[in-house]
Amino acid sequence: MTEKQEQILKAALLLFAKEGFHATSTSKVAKLAGVSEGLIFRHFGNKEGLLKAILEEGENRLKILFADIVLETDPKEVIRKAITFTGKIDVQDYDFWKLQFKLKWELEINGDKKMEPLKMALSNAFGKLGYESPELEAQLIILFIDGIGSSVLKGSSLNANEMMTFLLRKYNL
Amino acid sequence: MTEKQEQILKAALLLFAKEGFHATSTSKVAKLAGVSEGLIFRHFGNKEGLLKAILEEGENRLKILFADIVLETDPKEVIRKAITFTGKIDVQDYDFWKLQFKLKWELEINGDKKMEPLKMALSNAFGKLGYESPELEAQLIILFIDGIGSSVLKGSSLNANEMMTFLLRKYNL
DNA sequence: TACTTTTGTAAGTGATTACTCACAATTAAA
DNA sequence: TTTAATTGTGAGTAATCACTTACAAAAGTA
């Protein structure tokens, strides 16, 4: 990964997250990155290749964040960590995560698969704690995480921290 | 509203919902609607005007759907209706609602304000039922409604009906 | 009927789009 | 040091973009 490659990736991430994929031209990306437009195509083939490079990094980062939850053995701690998940994401990475959410709608990418390990961990945790419908409980928490994430990244008026502690109380955590 | 105007609106809705706003050209809309491209600009001024015409209808439809909940006096019934809200939307209107969700991300339109009357009704209902934090409870329900709606419209694997009855049980409804 | 307004079209406009290509600079390998 | 591969550029490309304009058809009004 050369320096200019990283500049391109950084510029593309910023613009895609702010304006959207289709609204961002390769010439804009090149200008912001301070490189010639042709270089984008040399390195990433086409505009979609540039996007894929960014999205792949997203999957990897998500796996790392999930690892902390999935490897946890105490079921209560699993649920607690899941609920407070959104609070853990770095403010500096907002653009990055915003893009992930944005593209789920703009390009109709289904994010279900990515959440599968988290769902399993939660389902397992609720099962251990004797809940009646562990899978539905898990699904509900994921719905919550997704909603909180959306709100935070979209800059909604919702107070995420208050919401998380509220839910923790509901689960006696 | 002439016949051709409605054809344009219908075609634009379909394409915007499927491909997104920026990915849909006015020429595509004209072709699908079976009219000349110029007519779009005659009636709606520009591409954004076309979009606004669609979005305005969205606000009106939402108000109508909310009315049933907001006018309800029995607090338990308010919550029940809110939770099963997503189940009420017509399959034929999926494109329409999908566009609303899609544009929230593509054009960064904040949907908080639209939900305000629903939030008030729910908050009031939870208050009457003696809940400790009525506003947070209301916010949580809205989060769930939004999440279930997203999932359904995105064609996620989530079983919406199962999820709704599960939630109803949680609230003893 | 005669006149005006509205509705509609077809053929344009310049700007921008994603992408290519010939070639130069840099780096790596021999 | 010569050779070969990689990295980078800048000036192209045809296609498409949102939008305009001159003009015709239709509808409304007197």
Side-chain angles (χ1 to χ4, degrees), chain A residues 89-153:
Chain A
I89 72 168
D90 196 330
V91 183
Q92 264 196 312
D93 289 339
Y94 271 17
D95 268 352
F96 180 80
W97 294 111
K98 190 171 173 177
L99 178 63
Q100 308 288 324
F101 273 85
K102 209 165 188 155
L103 291 177
K104 271 198 295 186
W105 281 105
E106 190 174 348
L107 305 174
E108 312 251 346
I109 296 164
N110 195 341
D112 279 8
K113 211 176 61 205
K114 293 178 193 166
M115 299 301 254
E116 201 53 38
L118 179 61
K119 199 194 156 189
M120 291 282 284
L122 279 167
S123 188
N124 190 36
F126 278 114
K128 277 186 192 167
L129 293 172
Y131 277 75
E132 254 183 59
S133 314
E135 279 191 36
L136 284 171
E137 298 279 1
Q139 194 67 259
L140 192 64
I141 297 282
I142 287 173
L143 223 58
F144 175 78
I145 295 172
D146 210 72
I148 293 277
S150 291
S151 300
V152 168
L153 295 169

Side-chain angles (χ1 to χ4, degrees), chain A residues 54-119:
Chain A
I54 295 171
L55 287 181
E56 272 172 32
E57 207 201 322
E59 286 203 54
N60 293 335
R61 283 213 215 176
L62 206 60
K63 276 179 194 163
I64 293 167
L65 287 175
F66 279 173
D68 182 46
I69 301 175
V70 175
L71 296 174
E72 176 66 53
T73 49
D74 177 16
K76 283 203 169 198
E77 197 61 14
V78 170
I79 297 163
R80 200 193 59 79
K81 279 182 176 174
I83 289 173
T84 55
F85 182 76
T86 311
K88 291 270 182 328
I89 72 168
D90 196 330
V91 183
Q92 264 196 312
D93 289 339
Y94 271 17
D95 268 352
F96 180 80
W97 294 111
K98 190 171 173 177
L99 178 63
Q100 308 288 324
F101 273 85
K102 209 165 188 155
L103 291 177
K104 271 198 295 186
W105 281 105
E106 190 174 348
L107 305 174
E108 312 251 346
I109 296 164
N110 195 341
D112 279 8
K113 211 176 61 205
K114 293 178 193 166
M115 299 301 254
E116 201 53 38
L118 179 61
K119 199 194 156 189

Side-chain angles (χ1 to χ4, degrees), chain B residues 107-165:
Chain B
L107 305 175
E108 312 251 346
I109 296 165
N110 196 342
D112 278 8
K113 209 177 59 205
K114 293 178 193 167
M115 299 302 253
E116 202 53 37
L118 179 61
K119 200 195 156 189
M120 292 282 285
L122 279 167
S123 187
N124 191 35
F126 278 115
K128 278 185 191 166
L129 292 172
Y131 278 74
E132 254 183 59
S133 312
E135 280 191 35
L136 285 172
E137 297 279 0
Q139 194 67 260
L140 189 63
I141 296 281
I142 287 173
L143 217 63
F144 287 142
I145 294 173
D146 208 74
I148 293 174
S150 290
S151 300
V152 169
L153 295 168
K154 254 189 300 191
S156 143
S157 59
L158 177 132
N159 186 329
N161 284 323
E162 206 179 356
M163 200 70 221
M164 288 187 296
T165 55

Side-chain angles (χ1 to χ4, degrees), chain B:
Chain B
M1 185 81 76
T2 65
E3 198 180 335
K4 303 219 167 187
Q5 252 183 90
E6 279 175 19
Q7 281 166 21
I8 291 169
L9 243 24
K10 192 181 161 189
L13 170 61
L14 198 137
L15 291 173
F16 287 170
K18 199 194 277 178
E19 320 273 0
F21 178 68
H22 284 110
T24 301
S25 64
T26 48
S27 77
K28 276 189 205 161
V29 174
K31 193 179 262 178
L32 182 65
V35 300
S36 66
E37 197 179 349
L39 194 59
I40 293 175
F41 296 92
R42 160 123 301 153
H43 283 310
F44 303 99
N46 52 34
K47 197 185 170 187
E48 216 178 302
L50 176 57
L51 177 69
K52 274 188 183 168
I54 295 171
L55 287 181
E56 272 173 31
E57 207 200 323
E59 286 203 55
N60 292 334
R61 283 214 216 176
L62 207 60
K63 275 178 195 164
I64 292 167
L65 287 175
F66 279 174
D68 182 46
I69 301 175
V70 174
L71 296 174
E72 176 65 54
T73 48
D74 178 16
K76 283 203 168 196
E77 197 60 15
V78 170
I79 298 163
R80 201 192 59 78
K81 280 183 176 173
I83 289 173
T84 56
F85 181 75
T86 313
K88 291 268 182 331
I89 73 168
D90 197 329
V91 182
Q92 265 197 311
D93 290 339
Y94 271 17
D95 268 353
F96 179 81
W97 294 112
K98 192 171 174 178
L99 178 65
Q100 307 288 325
F101 273 86
K102 210 165 187 155
L103 291 177
K104 271 198 294 187
W105 281 105
E106 190 175 348
L107 305 175
E108 312 251 346
I109 296 165
N110 196 342
D112 278 8
K113 209 177 59 205
K114 293 178 193 167
M115 299 302 253
E116 202 53 37
L118 179 61
K119 200 195 156 189
M120 292 282 285
L122 279 167
S123 187
N124 191 35
F126 278 115
K128 278 185 191 166
L129 292 172
Y131 278 74
E132 254 183 59
S133 312
E135 280 191 35
L136 285 172
E137 297 279 0
Q139 194 67 260
L140 189 63
I141 296 281
I142 287 173
L143 217 63
F144 287 142
I145 294 173
D146 208 74
I148 293 174
S150 290
S151 300
V152 169
L153 295 168
K154 254 189 300 191
S156 143
S157 59
L158 177 132
N159 186 329
N161 284 323
E162 206 179 356
M163 200 70 221
M164 288 187 296
T165 55
F166 176 66
L167 269 174
L168 289 176
R169 231 183 303 139
K170 266 195 180 283
Y171 287 93
N172 301 314
L173 295 166

